[in-house]
Amino acid sequence: MAARRRASSRATATVTATDTDKSKSETPTKQEHADPPIAPPKSGLIFKLCLFFAIPYFYLLFYHYKIESELQRSILINAGLSLAGFFITQKMIPVASRYVLRRNLFGYDINKKGTPQGTIKVPESLGIVVGAVFLVLAILFQYFNFTADSNIAIVEKLGIAKNDFLGTVAEWLVEYNAALASICFMLLLGFVDDVLDVPWRVKLILPSFAALPLLMAYAGHTSIIIPKPLVPYVGLEILDLGWIYKLYMFLLAVFCTNSINIHAGLNGLEVGQTVVIASAILLHNIMQIGASLDPEYKQAHAFSIYLVQPLLATSLALFSYNWYPSSVFVGDTYTYFAGMTMAVVGILGHFRFNPQTGLLTGTNDGTLVNFFLRLFGKMSEGSLCAALLVFQTCLPDI
């Protein structure tokens, strides 16, 4: 992770009146030029990733499965908003970078210590941009999908009684806004953590507070699907947990949020694993919609898509700056935000760097990153991150 440096309060307290007057006389233009611009986004990499994930996704959506045109329309509207969010995020990150650098919210890349890149101030906590754009997109999408007029066609097409459907929409809207409240709460707590350096014992319980809005508003099913390898041992395919399900939701929010935060420390790893997981969730949701005949079940998986598409689009914009060599650091702001978003969707390391070789060497710490280094030997940071993301992509198929 980045070693953050801030201006000390003692140094600030010893500033003389002359220095203060001098700083006031400086024009904003000079201050802006004092901060070097960040490197341009890696657009070629993002284009390849988009093709890799988009081709199977849209093939399933439009060709392989016969999905109702109205449902396709809602997904496409959400995808259009998400695409706009990608470009907005990509434009806002360089602007936000200048502001965080002025506030001494930056870090040095410890995995490049001893090289020229290790002395560059890298702006941190840029996950705040992704979170802000995501929330705006999610709120705007309510106009297209969670109003009576926007759902009349779906009511008629799926053959659902209008009163029953409107009642269901109202329930979804309550849960949707509760989910956004949890995500917004976690985004705020993540930014607070970046600024105040909250201890680990406190980090573990932060998601529990952010999950409260969703826990209080949740009124859905309390059953879980048993993974197929465990069915012979459990004897059931579906298990109703009852009140324990809310405890499960609580623990899931804590796990997802901290799992993104812990599996980190390489350029692009935090955002990269979010991109991989979000893409897998999208494909899973489309397959569930295409294979189901239950209208409510289809809408539940569409609900998940409406949250995951903007998460994926805004994360790809951040990934274009965060991939090796990183121009920005995502901070706990992003890891908490991404983890809570995927928890919501699911419900509804230390290294040694050799500056001469440019390779990372694993330590005895029990993290997946160090396990890879011990198993496969020394790697460059970019190769290690790519190997971990490929492993994470292939893991569900093993």
Side-chain angles (χ1 to χ4, degrees), residues 110-115 351-356 358-361:
I110 60 175
N111 292 330
K112 299 179 181 63
K113 188 176 181 180
T115 68
F351 317 104
R352 285 197 298 268
F353 176 71
N354 187 335
Q356 280 73 41
L359 302 178
L360 294 171
T361 304

Side-chain angles (χ1 to χ4, degrees), residues 297-313:
Y297 187 75
K298 290 183 178 183
Q299 286 296 323
H301 281 282
F303 179 98
S304 177
I305 291 175
Y306 300 151
L307 290 175
V308 176
Q309 283 189 153
L311 171 66
L312 178 59

Side-chain angles (χ1 to χ4, degrees), residues 363-380:
T363 68
N364 292 325
D365 292 338
T367 63
L368 182 60
V369 175
N370 281 301
F371 174 76
F372 257 64
L373 288 171
R374 292 196 299 269
L375 183 63
F376 298 109
K378 300 176 182 180
M379 296 186 197
S380 67

Side-chain angles (χ1 to χ4, degrees), residues 1-2 4 6 105 124-128 183 185-200 203 206-207 257-258 260-265 270 318 329-340:
M1 293 294 286
R4 187 185 304 127
R6 297 193 185 92
L105 197 60
E124 197 157 5
S125 303
L126 269 298
I128 192 68
I183 294 170
F185 200 175
M186 199 69 253
L187 181 69
L188 172 62
L189 292 177
F191 190 71
V192 169
D193 184 15
D194 279 334
V195 175
L196 301 181
D197 281 332
V198 177
W200 261 107
K203 289 183 181 183
L206 286 179
T257 305
N258 285 287
I260 298 293
N261 195 29
I262 291 172
H263 191 49
E270 299 96 320
L318 181 58
F329 289 148
V330 301
D332 291 334
T333 307
Y334 177 80
T335 58
Y336 285 169
F337 153 75
M340 179 57 72

Side-chain angles (χ1 to χ4, degrees), residues 18-28 30:
T18 304
D19 293 334
T20 305
D21 294 339
K22 187 182 296 184
S23 63
K24 288 181 179 179
S25 64
E26 292 181 353
T27 62
K30 291 182 179 180

Side-chain angles (χ1 to χ4, degrees), residues 231-273:
V231 171
Y233 301 98
V234 179
L236 297 170
E237 293 185 359
I238 298 177
L239 178 63
D240 188 1
L241 298 178
W243 66 269
I244 301 178
Y245 188 82
K246 288 205 172 184
L247 176 61
Y248 159 76
M249 290 169 55
F250 172 83
L251 296 175
L252 181 65
V254 175
F255 168 77
C256 288
T257 305
N258 285 287
S259 63
I260 298 293
N261 195 29
I262 291 172
H263 191 49
L266 300 174
N267 290 171
L269 184 56
E270 299 96 320
V271 191
Q273 65 178 310

Side-chain angles (χ1 to χ4, degrees), residues 34 53 96 111 144 151 155 174 203 234 276 282 302 317 336 342 345 355:
F53 289 117
N111 292 330
F144 298 99
N151 284 286
V155 174
V174 170
K203 289 183 181 183
V234 179
V276 169
L282 282 178
Y336 285 169
M342 286 187 288
V345 167

